[in-house]
Amino acid sequence: MKLFVNSVQHVDFHWHKEVELVYVLHGSVTIYLNQQQYTLHEDDVIVINSMSVHKIERTQQDNVLLTLQFGPELLNNNTFISCNSAMNRNGADDHITSIKHNLAQMVWELNKKSPGYRNYTQGRLQALCGCLLRYFAAGTNPDTEESGKEYDYKRLNRVLAYIDSHYNEKITLQDIADSEHLSMHYFSHFFTGKIGIPFQKYLTLIRLEKAQGQLTASEKTISEIALDCGFANIKLFNKYFKEKYGCTPGAYREAALAPELSKLNLNRKPQTYEESSSGVYYEVDTLNAIGALYRYLDAGSDAAQALPAPSASLAAEQHSIEISGEHPSVAYEKHWNITMTAGRAAEGLREDWRRQLSGIRSRIPFRYIRFHGIFNDEMMVYSENADGSPSYNWSYVDKLYDFLLEQGVRPFVELSYMPSQLARSRETLFWWKGNISPPANPAQWEALIREFIRHCLNRYGAEEVKQWYFEVWNEPDLAGVCWAGSKEEYFAFYESTVHAIKSVMPGLRTGGPAMGYGSLWNDTWAEDFLEYCREREVPLDFFSFHIYSEYPKLKSEEDRLTRIMAPSFYKESIDRLRRKMKASLYEEVELHITEWNFSLYDRNLLHDTMFMAPFVIYHTMNTLGDAKAMGFWSFTDIFEESIVPASPFYGGFGLINRDGLKKPAYYAFELMQKLGDELLIRGDGYVGTRTHDGSMQFLFYHYVHVDQLFASGDWSELSDSARYEVFEEKGSKAFELALGSLPGTYKCVTYRLDREHGSVFDEWVRMGAPHALTEEEIAYLNGRSGPVIRTELVQEERWRKEIVLPPHGVLLLTLDRQY
């Protein structure tokens, strides 16, 4: 069975053994079938029988199709199915609906990946085929019979089966012609006429498909695979492979190690002979198209009731954790607790921003804060006198830095963006128009940097400023987005900026490049930057980069053409960068993640939900020891990269919304703050720590990832108040904690946080999701946010505790020794 979403431009006449069911999700297509022409529109469905010659073409509209292919044995091998809603719009509506219902259930199961989803999907396929046999059977399929002119198909099947079994041998056109008792000239025309491409090209494509499978599933060398699959030499193998897949076999294999991160579309529908001729199938972003089919999930019919609907009552995962009195522990650094972030410098002059920062700092004592725009025009740092000489004004910078230092927070100084009077061009970024241009005159930029550093040293003292970090620019690898110059221009800009800083005080910590998403995987930007610094002996005291689960397919933020990476993406990205740094002899340089969050889109509605608490915990616990610091983006929704919506929960990046309401992600940080300084144990959904006095802390979390549909860019299941349908379906997660030695008395405190306990977004929905909150409503929601706390005394030397977490749930258990 194959089930895929695609768009069609043109697919020439072809046939295949599989039965094909096409459902039009969006737009329309023209299908030529059984010597007839049909135009199918949105919500139409058609069945193409086994061995039926057909052609598909795009109309004047774009199209998105859902295509199901399965073996004819599910239809008793030779039953002819007459199912075409374009020809029968007024009849058999219930039966057509039943087909769509089962198709919707198949897509649902494959996206949610609940336990047993493969079996459920097969069951839905059986129910769909039963419906086709019961209501749409129309005799036998003549194209599968052995008599008459249809014998050609039987011959062709023999040939194709032989090729499939002997592709790794030397097969010639003459050999096949002889086996069929035909002349080579006749057989050559026969094969090309039926398949649409010459025999040798078809054989090459089969060999390439077999090689593709071995590249991803075996440890053989590329030379061995080439010979195993029938290629005369590796040179020919490389040539044909690159023609078909757009890359070398080696590059394909490397991409397959992390398929979601590659430019290669490894999840596309496997190319077949009909794609390689004049026709083109190509995968597209579903982008809300599946929503047209999902409306049939609840549709009822006799066939539709064959299997139960998806259920949330799934079996719980079981995890056992045992800790003895002598259990070893290791020291670790709370790398999530070093740097916090905010939107831009000018927001830090606002009273509500400052009030939130003071509040969060009292509970989560991070040491540094990073934000954009210290040199933005709105900070009024740079202007020019009538004679063109520079005028520097540090008053707003002083107000901001004075406040931060009073709060015990040091600046992690991102040196951006360009004052407009120094800019070479007028490209800007965000609603507040940060200028992304390189300087028109590098000497004037360097003078600004030197004056800035001197001012900070004079005002705050060398001992203080030596503890700051100075990061040169923001995401310069995103050319045209955050940097209007070339890669080489940034490298020179970095060098001149660092030298300007070090010329004032060599001991100040400088680094960058605050590399954005994408370049780490798709090109050699990081390696080129490191090589530039090494060859020219440019100081690099730390390397910084950004990471989000959402990965852009295009630069069009409005279209949300993105995909969500697998949970392992963060760890894999850090490991990949570490390897690059080691290869460039920068292994010992501090690594800082100066931005991270789930989505790179500041309107992603999941940012407000309970999902974010285990998301934060999962990625911090999974990267312990891998980076010096992880700066979550950002601490507040007082954040203005774009026009702020009216809703209090609009999917902003912040841990706290603009009304001061603390989201689940905030409490993840607050609970992690309660962990001890020694790591006892870490596993799937749990971490245990200990403090020097023998107290212990155990943090449990149930991370559930988004389903494949949402990951591909389809937001059809997401709405302002309904935001949990986009996740994989998982049951509860159960943990049994067994402590072997508890001398004395302990106070056990549990902090439970889930959709029913302390999630302010879910409480807002239960309130009725008002868009304009009154002071009374804010006070109510504030009182209902945060973990539910329970305490008990433990006086048992051997103690067991069972913890059950629903999806997206978090629970912290602390055992404090009593004296």
Side-chain angles (χ1 to χ4, degrees), residues 196-208:
I197 59 174
F199 167 80
Q200 192 60 47
K201 185 173 183 180
Y202 176 79
L203 176 59
T204 299
L205 291 173
I206 292 298
R207 286 170 169 168
L208 287 171

Side-chain angles (χ1 to χ4, degrees), residues 2-11 14 20-31 38-46 48 54-59 61-69 103 107 269 280-290 292-293 709 714:
K2 295 177 183 176
L3 185 64
F4 53 91
V5 175
N6 65 301
S7 283
V8 169
Q9 183 75 18
H10 169 80
V11 183
H14 66 286
E20 185 168 274
L21 185 151
V22 177
Y23 175 77
V24 182
L25 290 164
H26 173 73
S28 60
V29 290
T30 298
I31 294 184
Y38 309 100
T39 299
L40 277 70
H41 299 276
E42 186 171 312
D43 201 38
D44 272 332
V45 63
I46 190 171
I48 301 169
H54 59 286
K55 179 170 76 170
I56 308 177
E57 289 185 341
R58 180 184 182 274
T59 65
Q61 295 178 295
D62 291 330
N63 61 78
V64 182
L65 309 179
L66 178 68
T67 302
L68 170 66
Q69 295 177 340
L103 195 60
V107 175
K269 173 178 172 283
V280 179
Y281 276 114
Y282 59 94
E283 296 273 343
V284 296
D285 302 284
T286 57
L287 206 59
N288 302 326
I290 292 291
L293 179 62
L709 185 63
D714 189 311

